[in-house]
Amino acid sequence: MTAPRLLAIDCGTQSVRALLFDLQGQLLARGQVRIDSYRAPEPGWMECDPDAFWRHLCAACQQLWAGADTSRDRIAGVVLTTQRAVPVTLDAALQATRPSMIWLDQRRAAHAPRLPWHWEAALAVIGMRGAVRHFQHEAEANWIAQHQPDTWARTAHFLLLSGYLNWRLTGRLADSVGSQVGYVPFDYRRGRWAAPYDWKWHALPVRRAMLPELLPAGAVLGRVSAEAARATGIPAGLPVLAGAADKACEVLGAGCLAPELACLSYGTAATAAITTARYLEATRFIPPYPAAVPGHYNPEVQITRGFWLVRWFREQFGQHEELLARARGVAPETLFDELVSAVPPGAQGLTLQPFWNPGIKRPGPEAKGAIIGFGDVHTRAHLYRAILEGLAYALREATERIEQRSGTPIQRVRVAGGGAQSDAALQITANVFNRPAERPHLVETSGLGAAIVASVGLGLHPDFARAVAAMTRVGRVFQPEPEHARTYEQLYRRVYRRMYRRLQPLYRDIRAITGYPSRD
């Protein structure tokens, strides 16, 4: 019998990838299209026409078919994973009412309307009112309703990007429970839309009739429509399965099913997460997101501007390496790794705190990035190494917070995402954590995680444990170097851990004087 294949479509922040996997987790073919349609009408804004995502998806699929023998008749099903927290607003005729705000967009609603008195009192008693106010200000639906009321009045459907692309594939307004990450009225504990009495319905202008039907990850959402088949080249009638958000799929694709194994994501946003069957808030009042495994959670701590900082460095300071890489015909990452090796561990005291975006609690809404310890010995190479070290420090702090909340020691760390392809970054991670840092066998861990979901949903693997055993494995392990680990331990404990508390009053003053980051 011909072995079935799985088509996973990964709509990330940087690109859309159409990925063909077998049941052993081998990547057989890939089509990739860079997303070049983002716009920034104002400083701090970032948006994209929803139809542009669909066009990029179609182009990635067509590129896939144009490559090696992809044997479309062997594809058993299609599954989608997307970047998180990107809302799509449609009118009654299912046309987009405005561009979608991307999760990196920094605009905030001007007002946070008071909730009914009983909710205000209850939230004040448990100390949650500040978190709810933050939710209200950050919610894209509130911004649209307050700043573009005519647009909101025309909005009949409120979806996340995953739901929008699933609709374009199948013609059905349905989405996965595993994709619900964003400012939506979702009950994270129970994995469903919030109950009618929940405070979220008072905090947002969204109504239940505007939201899609939700299905568990692995359920069949629908089948590829004739229209979608013409646009993408995917055979009509193939089942489309409910996937999960890109970070959830990445955790699964890295093989991290147990709370003792942390998944570090070195993507545009850097995250530390575990998988657990227990509802567990890594930060109080910040819910764990749905895992790609139904009935499970991913307690997570996020550094919003994670390996985005590496791109920032390349754009601002890395032109020499970019040009040299072109001349040599090598990947620029190779030369940036050489920069790291030219500087001793600890970057001769240059220490970076990677809070380029504000947070909610730690870091708080006043937070900013910081670099301390400059001297006349420091060069671009020191700055680049300090970026990698600062991200590793922040993620170590994140895993320690998760450990403290869960009560389960993290024994191993597995590093996924585009930044995990840097040997220098992985060796720094092993030394900062003083634990082996494991790299999965392939870089496309989000797509692989989505394919694992599809394999279980279609019955091609009997359960998630056996699917993970069959389709994931460790590619390379970076062992900590004792001498360097001792240096990092002291810098982490005596310098990095103290930076935020010491600088926080200055961040507040900067915010008060300049108005950036904007206040609630």
Side-chain angles (χ1 to χ4, degrees), residues 23-365:
L23 294 183
Q24 288 70 51
Q26 295 294 335
L27 179 61
L28 305 174
R30 175 174 68 177
Q32 182 171 4
V33 175
R34 183 174 179 79
I35 299 175
D36 57 5
S37 48
Y38 293 129
R39 298 181 299 173
E42 300 284 346
W45 293 20
M46 189 173 179
E47 59 186 31
C48 183
D49 181 355
D51 189 62
F53 288 116
W54 173 247
R55 294 196 302 270
H56 292 317
L57 184 155
C58 295
C61 289
Q62 295 293 356
Q63 188 186 106
L64 176 71
W65 314 131
D69 175 25
T70 48
S71 303
R72 284 180 244 187
D73 59 324
R74 294 170 61 182
I75 299 174
V78 184
V79 64
L80 183 73
T81 181
T82 73
Q83 56 179 296
R84 307 185 299 192
V86 178
V88 178
T89 54
L90 305 177
D91 62 19
L94 298 175
Q95 297 298 309
T97 62
R98 65 174 320 282
S100 291
M101 287 184 258
I102 308 307
W103 61 275
L104 289 165
D105 191 290
Q106 296 179 39
R107 73 190 91 178
R108 297 165 61 81
H111 307 292
R114 289 183 64 83
L115 307 181
W117 70 268
H118 58 278
W119 274 118
E120 291 285 350
L123 294 170
V125 167
I126 63 175
M128 190 177 169
R129 190 160 57 181
V132 172
R133 290 286 185 270
H134 179 87
F135 177 95
Q136 291 177 283
H137 284 289
E138 292 290 335
E140 298 88 356
N142 283 339
W143 189 93
I144 300 169
Q146 293 175 23
H147 294 266
Q148 299 175 347
D150 292 342
T151 298
W152 185 256
R154 292 188 295 111
T155 299
H157 303 281
F158 191 81
L159 313 171
L160 294 179
L161 178 60
S162 50
Y164 173 75
L165 294 177
N166 280 321
W167 166 66
R168 295 296 300 261
L169 282 170
T170 67
R172 182 183 181 188
L173 289 169
D175 201 4
S176 173
V177 168
S179 297
Q180 302 313 300
V181 179
Y183 297 101
V184 290
F186 184 71
D187 184 335
Y188 286 94
R189 185 185 294 273
R190 295 170 180 81
R192 64 193 187 198
W193 295 127
Y197 54 80
D198 196 290
W199 61 263
K200 297 182 188 72
W201 299 110
H202 301 286
L204 299 170
V206 178
R207 298 294 170 255
R208 176 64 186 87
M210 303 168 71
L211 299 169
E213 179 183 358
L214 293 182
L215 290 87
V220 175
L221 281 169
R223 295 186 177 273
V224 176
S225 68
E227 181 181 358
R230 286 191 295 271
T232 64
I234 304 171
L238 274 180
V240 177
L241 294 107
D246 57 358
K247 295 294 186 184
C249 285
E250 191 171 59
V251 172
L252 181 61
C256 299
L257 278 181
E260 298 83 10
L261 177 57
C263 179
L264 306 183
S265 174
Y266 282 4
T268 304
T271 59
I274 61 171
T275 301
T276 175
R278 179 164 62 100
Y279 181 89
L280 173 69
E281 297 174 350
T283 302
R284 192 167 181 240
F285 301 137
I286 308 302
Y289 298 136
V293 180
H296 288 66
Y297 308 92
N298 288 146
E300 175 190 293
V301 177
Q302 176 174 269
I303 312 302
T304 308
R305 299 285 186 172
F307 269 70
W308 174 92
L309 284 171
V310 171
R311 191 180 73 194
W312 171 79
F313 176 88
R314 286 175 57 174
E315 291 174 352
Q316 302 301 323
F317 309 105
Q319 292 86 352
H320 173 72
E321 283 73 24
E322 295 279 354
L323 292 172
L324 192 59
R326 287 193 206 117
R328 292 185 185 178
V330 299
E333 289 76 13
T334 304
L335 301 185
F336 284 107
D337 274 8
E338 290 177 8
L339 274 182
V340 174
S341 64
V343 174
Q348 293 181 282
L350 198 65
T351 305
L352 180 141
Q353 180 184 267
F355 299 156
W356 258 241
N357 251 32
I360 303 174
K361 291 200 169 183
R362 183 176 175 91

